[in-house]
Amino acid sequence: MIFSSSLRSAARRGFVTNAPVNGFDGAIGNTPLIYLKGLSERIGSKIYGKAEFQNPGGSVKDRAALGLINNAEKLGLLKPGGTVVEGTAGNTGIGLAHVCRAKGYKCVIYMPNTQSQEKIDLLRMLGADVRPVPAVAYENPKNYNHQAKEYAESLPNAVWTNQFDNVANAQAHYDTTGPEIWEQTGGKVDGFICATGTGGTLAGVGRYLKEKSGGKTQVWIADPPGSVLTSYVNSGGKLTERSGSSITEGIGQGRITDNLGTFVKQVDGAFTVPDEKSIAMLYELLETEGLYLGASTALNVVAAYELAQKLGKGSSVVTILADGAYRYQSRLFSKKWLEAKGLSGAIPEHLKKYSVLE
């Protein structure tokens, strides 16, 4: 498998950039690692968040987007003037749209019609052809991923980047995100935990940290309600029927993707984080850390806090700050929306001042 020289250079150039980078793709990666002071001091451990919202496209998915497109170019699947097609719940599509603009490709995005309007609007502003379709299970032939694949196959010089099962996704994180975390922590990582959608971040970072630590770094999955990954890991590999749902977007799974499949047998554990805890943490991070983050990131931080408690005082745990709240603010800071979801009571009384939208 051939991967991006831009991604590799991001891993090599260190964490203070002293020279210009080459365009949008050169700015991907090399994000800060933020020490979450309030949470860390509360339990006597070190909790860090990898600030992936500082990627130029605003999320962790910029890394996967660049890795997938560069890999398609190297394999000769995508030539100048071509079309990139993907099925995505949002952030990968945004990353792909940015990279396509920078490289001169057309971009077509199929997505579930349950996603936030902010994401859809942004994709269209970036010039993507956005096609919202009914949200149905992966097994259904009308699932947005299958529709994306079929459309790409109908066009000349087009590629379906296949973010869920194209392992160039996980490799991008193995080549960049994992080495960055290892260097930024000085190799002192007792635990790494994050939610998974495609599984690329968890698998790529997890594999790198396991290798560098000689297996000492524990790698855990944080799961939203409605996902089957917690039960899969804790049952020793049995898939159950998916049931329930979550307010989080782009995470959780009903199957083992090929990206996750490259690493899932090495996962040390998994647990589910209720939406109530994610909402409470989202508001707490704004109050105590000044960080305006999305719901999946809040879930990751809840999970990092709980994993640090499991590992004991003095432990060092890293998670992913996947994106900011800007793409979800009409929901996450709306009194009516939170009440409709039964989540307004999850916000501590002294933090309700941030719920300012009607």
Side-chain angles (χ1 to χ4, degrees), residues 185-196:
T185 59
K188 297 177 181 178
V189 191
D190 297 304
F192 174 76
I193 188 166
C194 69
T196 76

Side-chain angles (χ1 to χ4, degrees), residues 30-103:
N30 196 13
T31 57
L33 190 68
I34 298 176
Y35 174 61
L36 300 177
K37 184 174 183 288
L39 294 172
S40 298
E41 291 182 350
R42 191 183 307 169
I43 57 172
S45 295
K46 293 179 180 179
I47 301 173
Y48 299 98
K50 188 79 165 119
E52 292 299 285
F53 61 89
Q54 290 197 11
N55 280 305
S59 86
V60 65
K61 295 297 188 176
D62 287 2
R63 297 185 191 254
L66 180 59
L68 291 166
I69 288 179
N70 281 347
N71 187 59
E73 290 174 339
K74 295 295 184 183
L75 295 177
L77 302 175
L78 188 63
K79 297 178 177 62
T83 302
V84 172
V85 186
E86 184 54 275
T88 168
N91 279 334
T92 302
I94 292 166
L96 287 169
H98 274 290
V99 176
C100 284
R101 291 280 63 72
K103 287 177 172 282

Side-chain angles (χ1 to χ4, degrees), residues 4-15 175-176 179-180 183:
S4 161
S5 59
S6 297
L7 284 167
R8 285 180 176 150
S9 66
R12 287 198 302 266
R13 69 177 183 258
F15 300 104
D175 288 341
T176 67
E180 289 173 26
E183 184 175 333

Side-chain angles (χ1 to χ4, degrees), residues 8 22 26 48 65 73 140 171 189 199 238 290 307 321 328 348 354:
R8 285 180 176 150
N22 186 17
Y48 299 98
E73 290 174 339
N140 189 314
Q171 188 68 33
V189 191
K238 296 179 182 178
L307 180 57
L321 308 183
Y328 321 94
Y354 296 112

Side-chain angles (χ1 to χ4, degrees), residues 161-228:
T161 44
N162 189 13
Q163 61 165 328
F164 289 90
D165 296 315
N166 182 343
V167 296
N169 177 346
Q171 188 68 33
H173 290 284
Y174 179 87
D175 288 341
T176 67
T177 323
E180 289 173 26
I181 289 171
W182 185 259
E183 184 175 333
Q184 288 168 317
T185 59
K188 297 177 181 178
V189 191
D190 297 304
F192 174 76
I193 188 166
C194 69
T196 76
T198 66
T201 305
L202 188 284
V205 174
R207 180 160 64 93
Y208 185 87
L209 295 179
K210 283 282 188 187
E211 289 178 7
K212 290 296 289 187
S213 69
K216 293 179 181 178
T217 300
Q218 291 197 25
V219 179
W220 287 58
I221 293 174
D223 228 13
S227 175
V228 305

